[in-house]
Amino acid sequence: MRAAGVPFAVPLAADGAPHAAVGGNALLALTVFCIAVIIVLIAWARMHPLLALILGSALLGLSSGIGAETTLTRFAEGLGGTVSDIGLLIALGAMLGQLLNASGAVGRLVDRFTAAVPARLMPWAIGALAFLVGLPLFFEVALVLVFPVVVMTARRTGIPLLRLAVPALASLSLLNGFLPPHPGPLLAVSAFDAELGTTLLYGLIVAVPTAVVGGPLLARLLSARIPSPDLDSLAAGRERDTPEDAGPGSVPSASDPGGNVALATAPAATRQRVPGPGTTLGTMLLPVVLMLVRAVAEMVLPEDSGVRHVCDVVGEPSVALLAGCVLAMFTLGRGSGMSRRKVNTAMGSGLPLVASVILIVGAGGGFKSTLVATGVGDVIADRAAQLGLPALLLAWLVAALIRVAVGSGTVSIVTTAGLLAPLAAGMSPAHCALMALAVGAGSRFLSHVNDAGFWMVKEFLNLDVKTTFKTWTLLDCVVSVVAGAGVMVLSLVV
């Protein structure tokens, strides 16, 4: 069973479907121009991506000749279908992340994790920890949770901060744009009509070695050449009271104009206990395990098997994340001594914070639907075939270029998926999954000053702009290139 996204399931060349009144070359030029308008509106005019995508869709539809009524209808269908398909997943992920944070469960997990690892293996342990924490969480909230542990570990062990921070950042950056259930990867899965379980399985195969190369190995190189910031200049990671003694508090949230969002820490009440590391890990990884079970069932069980049907249901992303949220209510919420009301408040506090992400992703679906209506996807597919450029390389390259220009991985994935979806027509399920991963890998390329994540990392590490380019920007480039190369290598054997 493939991810069911209404706007992405529409045949690209259906009989009677509207097409642009202009020729192929003119349509390509018009499409590039409209994308450039969106980029300029976001990167230069500092317009919110939601408005930029709406205006870009209107400009494309009207100027291509498909008509105002068709433009409005297709954009509304694309927005509504995308929100109904992906919005629930984003909301459930936000609720789970808020409860993980509010219960103090992640804090205890990372303390136990670092205490059990020898100092020489600490960069690897931090990278692995960030990988686990980042699986269900947005980049910003995962960074807020992991970074104090990184600094605290550096203080206790004397290991240079960059040696520990780079592995954590590599894992978090990669997961945010590369693996479901994060919003961008989910959108790519729907756009290419890929099987989510297969995408997740292949993504994990590529992500682990990518996190190693872009994490501990790159950290060794950077820390030997770039001085780490003075730990005394950092507020994070100082010794503080345990969660049982800590009073109410919060951390600031950050909003990414390119489509990412940071989840603020929900208010924390005084608690008598914090869930153990095993309980926390089990809760965090339940959705991922259920989706992996589904992926395995799809590969080894016949379609008419009753067991496979059960696995298909429990491994459906919305069901898997819902199961994780329900389990977290008992293991992390009630298990930490929070009342039912406080559990509900903590989980509900995540919903307003992801409204912007849901709407941006929805508007991206509307823009994609408008692109489909013009027929530009078929033109691009024909041109790509004539160039002889491999589809996976093209997917990575287009996503990387848009990411550099806009600064948003989400907008990069949305636009690239809309343009290249026709290339996936007739591909096997495995290669559709690889197309989604190639786009995700490209969307991580070269974070710089138009990306809010760039500034967040700069402030957290107390770096100057030049050093941030030498560390964070280089890290993102390495992660993107290695992941893209891994996807292409994997395509040779699946």
Side-chain angles (χ1 to χ4, degrees):
M1 184 182 296
R2 298 187 181 187
V6 175
F8 303 118
V10 179
L12 292 173
D15 293 337
H19 285 279
V22 298
N25 291 333
L27 180 59
L28 283 175
L30 181 60
T31 300
V32 172
F33 174 73
C34 291
I35 292 174
V37 168
I38 295 175
I39 292 172
V40 170
L41 289 176
I42 296 173
W44 180 76
R46 310 306 297 171
M47 181 177 289
H48 193 281
L50 174 62
L51 297 178
L53 286 165
I54 293 174
L55 293 176
S57 299
L59 177 62
L60 176 64
L62 295 176
S63 59
S64 65
I66 65 174
E69 183 178 354
T70 299
T71 300
L72 290 172
T73 300
R74 286 303 181 96
F75 183 84
E77 289 176 351
L79 187 149
T82 304
V83 169
S84 67
D85 187 35
I86 297 176
L88 178 61
L89 303 180
I90 298 174
L92 290 173
M95 296 175 75
L96 177 58
Q98 288 295 85
L99 190 54
L100 281 165
N101 207 359
S103 66
V106 172
R108 182 173 179 182
L109 171 65
V110 295
D111 284 342
R112 183 71 61 86
F113 192 80
T114 54
V117 177
R120 61 186 178 83
L121 298 179
M122 197 60 69
W124 297 81
I126 291 292
L129 173 64
F131 196 97
L132 292 176
V133 173
L135 279 173
L137 305 181
F138 288 101
F139 170 81
E140 293 86 351
V141 70
L143 180 59
V144 169
L145 292 173
V146 172
F147 187 71
V149 179
V150 173
V151 178
M152 185 184 304
T153 304
R155 293 183 191 276
R156 292 178 177 176
T157 63
I159 299 174
L161 179 61
L162 288 179
R163 186 77 182 275
L164 299 176
V166 168
L169 292 171
S171 293
L172 297 181
S173 176
L174 174 66
L175 293 173
N176 186 63
F178 191 66
L179 282 184
H182 292 277
L186 284 173
L187 183 60
V189 167
S190 289
F192 293 109
D193 197 23
E195 295 175 350
L196 190 141
T198 302
T199 306
L200 180 59
L201 180 61
Y202 290 168
L204 287 172
I205 293 174
V206 175
V208 171
T210 300
V212 170
V213 174
L217 298 184
L218 180 63
R220 181 187 296 249
L221 179 66
L222 292 179
S223 63
R225 289 165 173 77
I226 301 174
S228 290
D230 183 5
L231 293 176
D232 291 335
S233 67
L234 305 175
R238 297 188 186 278
E239 301 295 340
R240 60 183 180 178
D241 294 335
T242 61
E244 291 84 353
D245 301 326
S250 62
V251 298
S253 63
S255 178
D256 175 2
N260 296 323
V261 78
L263 304 182
T265 304
T270 301
R271 296 174 292 275
Q272 294 183 346
R273 56 190 179 277
V274 177
T279 300
T280 303
L281 275 177
T283 303
M284 291 172 60
L285 297 179
L286 176 62
V288 177
V289 170
L290 291 177
M291 286 187 278
L292 286 176
V293 167
R294 173 181 171 176
V296 173
E298 289 173 344
M299 292 186 292
V300 302
L301 296 177
E303 292 187 4
D304 58 352
S305 169
V307 175
R308 174 168 174 175
H309 291 162
V310 173
C311 294
D312 284 342
V313 172
V314 300
E316 183 70 22
S318 57
V319 176
L321 281 171
L322 177 62
C325 287
V326 172
L327 179 62
M329 293 174 65
F330 295 97
T331 58
L332 306 182
R334 302 293 289 167
S336 66
M338 300 171 66
S339 66
R340 288 191 295 271
R341 181 176 180 179
K342 290 177 179 176
V343 170
N344 291 333
T345 299
M347 299 184 76
S349 67
L351 297 179
L353 300 168
V354 295
S356 178
V357 170
I358 293 173
L359 289 174
I360 291 170
V361 170
F367 180 58
K368 187 269 178 186
S369 187
T370 306
L371 285 167
V372 170
T374 66
V376 67
D378 295 326
V379 175
I380 291 176
D382 291 340
R383 297 294 192 276
Q386 294 171 8
L387 290 174
L389 196 64
L392 292 176
L393 178 59
L394 182 64
W396 182 91
L397 181 61
V398 172
L401 292 175
I402 296 174
R403 161 63 184 248
V404 172
V406 177
S408 166
T410 302
V411 173
S412 170
I413 291 174
V414 164
T415 307
T416 305
L419 287 172
L420 302 183
L423 297 181
M427 286 186 177
S428 66
H431 282 80
C432 287
L434 292 175
M435 283 290 289
L437 292 173
V439 170
S443 75
R444 307 318 305 156
F445 189 74
L446 210 155
S447 167
H448 60 98
V449 294
N450 62 357
D451 177 18
F454 176 92
W455 299 105
M456 189 174 184
V457 171
K458 174 188 177 297
E459 295 302 320
F460 269 48
L461 290 175
N462 195 27
L463 303 173
D464 57 38
V465 172
K466 182 179 180 180
T467 305
T468 308
F469 272 108
K470 291 181 178 179
T471 53
W472 166 248
T473 301
L474 176 61
L475 178 156
D476 247 10
C477 291
V478 170
V479 164
S480 177
V481 171
V482 174
V487 170
M488 294 173 200
V489 170
L490 188 60
S491 69
L492 301 177
V493 296
V494 298

